[in-house]
């Protein structure tokens, strides 16, 4: 989790704990595989004043559940469609 999205270590650690807990809750229904959870947008410090606030905890919990439920409903294609493909090499 990059510092640019969550400046305080307390906030980053809370988000990591929430991700692990969400994974544990949904593990039985998730397709087998390696899962990566990535923070895509910063947390607004004006909205979440305290890194250990109930508001931040509830927002993170809800977002994680939404993401894992979406992963359960829309798994990757069996042909490995979600794999990274090597870039084409440029001549020169």
């Amino acid at each position: 989790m990059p510092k640019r999205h969550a400046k305080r270590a307390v906030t980053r650690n809370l988000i990591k704990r929430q991700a692990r807990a969400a994974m544990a809750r949904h593990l039985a229904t998730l397709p087998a595989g390696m899962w990566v959870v990535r923070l895509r947008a910063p947390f607004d410090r004006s909205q979440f004043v305290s890194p250990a606030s109930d508001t931040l905890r509830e927002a993170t919990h809800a977002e994680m559940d939404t993401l894992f439920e979406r992963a359960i409903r829309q798994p990757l294609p069996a042909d490995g469609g979600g794999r990274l493909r090597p870039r084409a090499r440029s001549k020169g």
Side-chain angles (χ1 to χ4, degrees), residues 69-87:
E69 288 166 5
R70 187 184 317 160
I72 292 165
R73 285 192 316 269
Q74 300 171 354
L76 292 174
D79 68 349
R83 291 192 195 157
L84 294 175
R85 292 178 180 82
R87 292 183 183 178

Side-chain angles (χ1 to χ4, degrees), residues 18-85:
Q18 290 287 334
R20 288 184 195 113
M23 175 64 85
R25 282 193 305 275
H26 297 286
L27 191 59
T29 53
L30 281 169
M34 305 257 324
W35 291 90
V36 176
V37 178
R38 206 177 87 168
L39 186 61
R40 293 174 44 169
F43 278 84
D44 184 15
R45 287 181 76 171
S46 64
Q47 183 181 1
F48 303 108
V49 179
S50 171
S53 68
D54 289 334
T55 309
L56 176 60
R57 191 178 315 269
E58 290 168 7
T60 305
H61 183 94
E63 181 70 20
M64 293 291 173
D65 279 347
T66 301
L67 291 173
F68 280 110
E69 288 166 5
R70 187 184 317 160
I72 292 165
R73 285 192 316 269
Q74 300 171 354
L76 292 174
D79 68 349
R83 291 192 195 157
L84 294 175
R85 292 178 180 82

